[in-house]
Amino acid sequence: SEWSEEGVKEAERLMEGWWDMLSEERHVGKAVRKSGGDPRLRPEIVGLVMWVRAVRSVLFGEKKDEEEKVKRGAEMVMAVWKNADLKVDEGDWNNANHKLMRWAPVWHGMKMARQVLGENTPLGRNLERIIATDLEPTLSRAREIVSQYAGDGAKRRGLNLYDELSKIPS
């Protein structure tokens, strides 16, 4: 993999600082929380926490979770999964590209978290259910739309991210 241990550790450190800021009223604000816009309730955001932790554990931590950070991240995603917006606009390749950008890290993080938590644990099975029934169909369809309809020179960041993450054994 092209991921360095130092880079992943730095990403985890920054992500944890970012997550701490999301927990403070002065950074997010009461109005945002009251309006239902609390980012901590969005699985595509919470999933980034799990993803970085799972990547670190699988690639550089011998698939161990001694501090249970991967487990806590996966539990947080499961707790807010009902808020997932996975609908892909069939007529809008840009929407499909954004879905790939938003959900590919969560999909990859769930796959890597299962390696750490155990595929046959209750949490591992729940992650697999979401991967198989929610994420993979959404990502597959979004990939088809972007591949078919994005014109030459179009920014396919979501598609590129999904394709790159697909290459990493998970």
Side-chain angles (χ1 to χ4, degrees):
S1 126
E2 295 180 25
W3 299 34
S4 73
E5 185 170 2
E6 296 78 28
V8 171
K9 283 182 178 180
E10 178 68 3
E12 184 177 26
R13 185 188 68 75
L14 292 171
M15 179 274 309
E16 288 182 354
W18 170 75
W19 185 255
D20 288 343
M21 286 190 336
L22 290 178
S23 301
E24 296 178 16
E25 291 293 333
R26 66 187 176 132
H27 292 294
V28 178
K30 291 178 185 177
V32 170
R33 297 222 198 285
K34 287 181 182 178
S35 71
D38 189 340
R40 296 170 305 166
L41 300 178
R42 294 178 51 192
E44 70 273 28
I45 291 176
V46 177
L48 294 175
V49 175
M50 177 192 60
W51 178 47
V52 172
R53 290 173 174 171
V55 165
R56 180 199 36 80
S57 182
V58 170
L59 297 182
F60 307 108
E62 300 176 0
K63 298 182 184 177
K64 293 180 183 173
D65 192 24
E66 293 168 357
E67 296 179 41
E68 295 193 336
K69 289 183 174 188
V70 176
K71 181 181 179 189
R72 283 195 312 272
E75 288 171 342
M76 289 184 334
V77 172
M78 295 302 299
V80 298
W81 190 254
K82 65 185 178 293
N83 300 329
D85 174 15
L86 297 167
K87 186 177 182 312
V88 178
D89 183 342
E90 296 282 328
D92 183 356
W93 75 265
N94 199 38
N95 171 269
N97 198 40
H98 282 283
K99 293 294 179 181
L100 288 167
M101 190 73 153
R102 180 174 294 155
W103 293 107
V106 178
W107 163 78
H108 188 251
M110 284 185 176
K111 291 175 71 172
M112 296 195 93
R114 289 184 72 236
Q115 291 184 46
V116 176
L117 302 170
E119 295 177 357
N120 292 315
T121 63
L123 189 51
R125 286 191 300 271
N126 282 334
L127 292 173
E128 177 56 32
R129 178 184 48 79
I130 288 173
I131 290 167
T133 62
D134 294 347
L135 286 172
E136 286 184 345
T138 297
L139 294 172
S140 176
R141 184 63 189 134
R143 188 183 191 294
E144 289 172 14
I145 292 167
V146 175
S147 296
Q148 184 173 1
Y149 297 109
D152 291 338
K155 293 182 180 175
R156 302 175 183 206
R157 289 187 182 116
L159 178 62
N160 294 338
L161 175 63
Y162 176 71
D163 286 346
E164 285 301 311
L165 291 176
S166 296
K167 294 176 189 174
I168 299 170
S170 53

